[in-house]
Amino acid sequence: MDQSLLERMAVWLRQHPFGVDATAAALAALLLVVAPAASYVGNGDADFLLALLLVVPLAWRRRRPVRAAAVVVAVSLVQLVVGGEFLPANVAAPVMVYALAAYAPRWAGRAGLGVGLLGAVLAAGAYFSSGDVITFVTSAGAIGVLVIASWALGDLRRARLQQVAGLQERARLLELEREQEMQLAASTERARIARELHDVVAHSLSVVIAQADGGRYAGQHDPAAATGALEAISATGRQALTDMRSLLGVLREGDGQEFAPQPDVGAIVQLVDDVRASGLDVDLIVEGVQQPMPAGAQLAAYRIVQESLTNVLKHAGPAGRAWVRLHWRPDGLEVAVLDDGRGASAAIAESDGQGQGLLGMRERAELHGGRLSAAPREGGGFGVHAHLPYRAPR
């Protein structure tokens, strides 16, 4: 027989326990009640009815084990009172002891064992002893061993079912945990993409707007300056388009690999030059000796400077001035971006980009074990200070 067919049959049997038990009870009734009916002596009709009542409850041995066992016990007591002969259907008693131990509550299984042992004594005295003590002891012992064996097998079955249920629950929890981890990873990735899009779009558009404003005013008196502003706008737009294509290309690939190099601390020099070319008076101050630093922390430093200068371009005013300071300290890189603009940029930048401004910078710093603070400066302007360790704490 095909292995797959056997597996499907096993699955069907597990999914329809009552059908299996009802079929087994019907076969037991045919073999233990109907077939030996001709051998009943004395009150044959009563024995036939008692035998049938002993076998029928086996159909509910898994769905209603306690009630089925109660019926078997009651019928067995009636049989003892009536004084009939020992019937082949009396094997339903150890079967119900097994069912109680396997499928009923623990107390019912123990009660079934006690009732089964008591029934062994009563059955030995009623059906097998004939007044002989040795025969009585032997018969009671044999039936008692059968009852204990049935109970032990049922208890093993209970343990097996509990083990399977535990494995199924563990698999369910692992599947739930995996789904939660996937959702968390997706949320984290969405937040990272939102930060990247905000950094690229906000910075590039701020530079383009500044260049456009400067070119519009300069074009009336200095056409060459207007041409330079247009060239800067074109270059900035192309760079932004390239960055957007790179980011969207990574999303289309879906494997998490980025094929374009990410900006690092060294790219801050070019960033400052680009912002300075847009018309903002900005100075770069580097102190200390550059130290080895993870790529992620370097990208965070670049994005912090980029976001801070973008906020300066948008909020510091036309006559604003900015300073970018990189201080390579023994324990980490200190990044500071200061301006002397209108000073109201704090509240504006905090809500800029639907929370992606200062919040994104702070998340970047904390992601690599650093910290970031941003607040208005005394006397006007705004300041962003960040500390990024060379090695993130474990």
Side-chain angles (χ1 to χ4, degrees), residues 130-170:
S130 301
D132 187 0
V133 177
I134 297 178
T135 304
F136 169 78
V137 173
T138 304
S139 302
I143 300 175
V145 169
L146 177 62
V147 170
I148 294 175
S150 301
W151 182 87
L153 291 176
D155 196 60
L156 289 176
R157 177 61 177 171
R158 171 191 294 275
R160 174 60 180 170
L161 292 176
Q162 291 177 347
Q163 181 182 12
V164 172
L167 292 176
Q168 292 176 346
E169 179 66 14
R170 181 180 178 185

Side-chain angles (χ1 to χ4, degrees), residues 16-33:
H16 302 82
F18 180 72
V20 175
D21 294 344
T23 302
L27 292 177
L30 181 63
L31 296 176
L32 302 177
V33 180

